[in-house]
Amino acid sequence: QVQLVDSGGGLVQAGGSLRLSCAASGRTFSRYAMGWFRQAPGKEREFVATINWSGSNTYYADSVKGRFTISQDNAKNTVYLQMNSLKPEDTAVYYCAAQFGVVVTTTAPYWGQGTQVTVSS
């Protein structure tokens, strides 16, 4: 049974930092991309960042470029999202996802349960 477990969310002041983690288990994730999406209240889920299995390709939403960094530890089947210079508009539930291929999209078959990030002004 495939399971993605998100963690690391919390309450932080604007300008602060958080690091999210997503631990994957239940299958071999070789050649799977992993990534992060977020959903704010009343809004649709939106793409944040994605990384391929080898780590050679990363993509970011324009809204987080230069502030967020996605990385992974394949030995631990874990992907991270380092979030710096956080803004109130980053407030959302953050979900990790896994999908065969180079990038993750909203059609990814595997999702974490979500972790709340709240940025106060």
Side-chain angles (χ1 to χ4, degrees):
Q1 179 180 356
V2 175
Q3 187 174 23
L4 303 182
V5 179
D6 307 326
S7 63
L11 173 63
V12 64
Q13 289 188 330
S17 299
L18 283 174
R19 189 177 83 152
L20 306 184
S21 299
C22 173
S25 62
R27 66 158 298 136
T28 299
F29 285 90
S30 175
R31 299 177 67 189
Y32 270 67
M34 296 188 74
W36 293 91
F37 289 75
R38 67 187 181 185
Q39 188 167 18
K43 295 187 177 181
E44 294 187 354
R45 190 170 297 189
E46 65 174 2
F47 166 76
V48 176
T50 184
I51 187 169
N52 67 335
W53 176 251
S54 68
S56 60
N57 289 298
T58 57
Y59 301 97
Y60 297 90
D62 288 343
S63 58
V64 307
K65 276 181 185 176
R67 300 188 298 120
F68 291 10
T69 303
I70 190 170
S71 62
Q72 62 189 25
D73 183 337
N74 289 341
K76 296 182 180 179
N77 271 352
T78 300
V79 65
Y80 305 97
L81 186 68
Q82 178 66 44
M83 305 186 296
N84 298 328
S85 302
L86 282 161
K87 304 175 181 179
E89 51 263 44
D90 295 318
T91 295
V93 178
Y94 284 69
Y95 299 89
C96 75
Q99 183 169 10
F100 184 82
V102 179
V103 297
V104 287
T105 69
T106 53
T107 62
Y110 305 118
W111 291 85
Q113 82 285 1
T115 185
Q116 175 72 47
V117 172
T118 303
V119 184
S120 63
S121 57

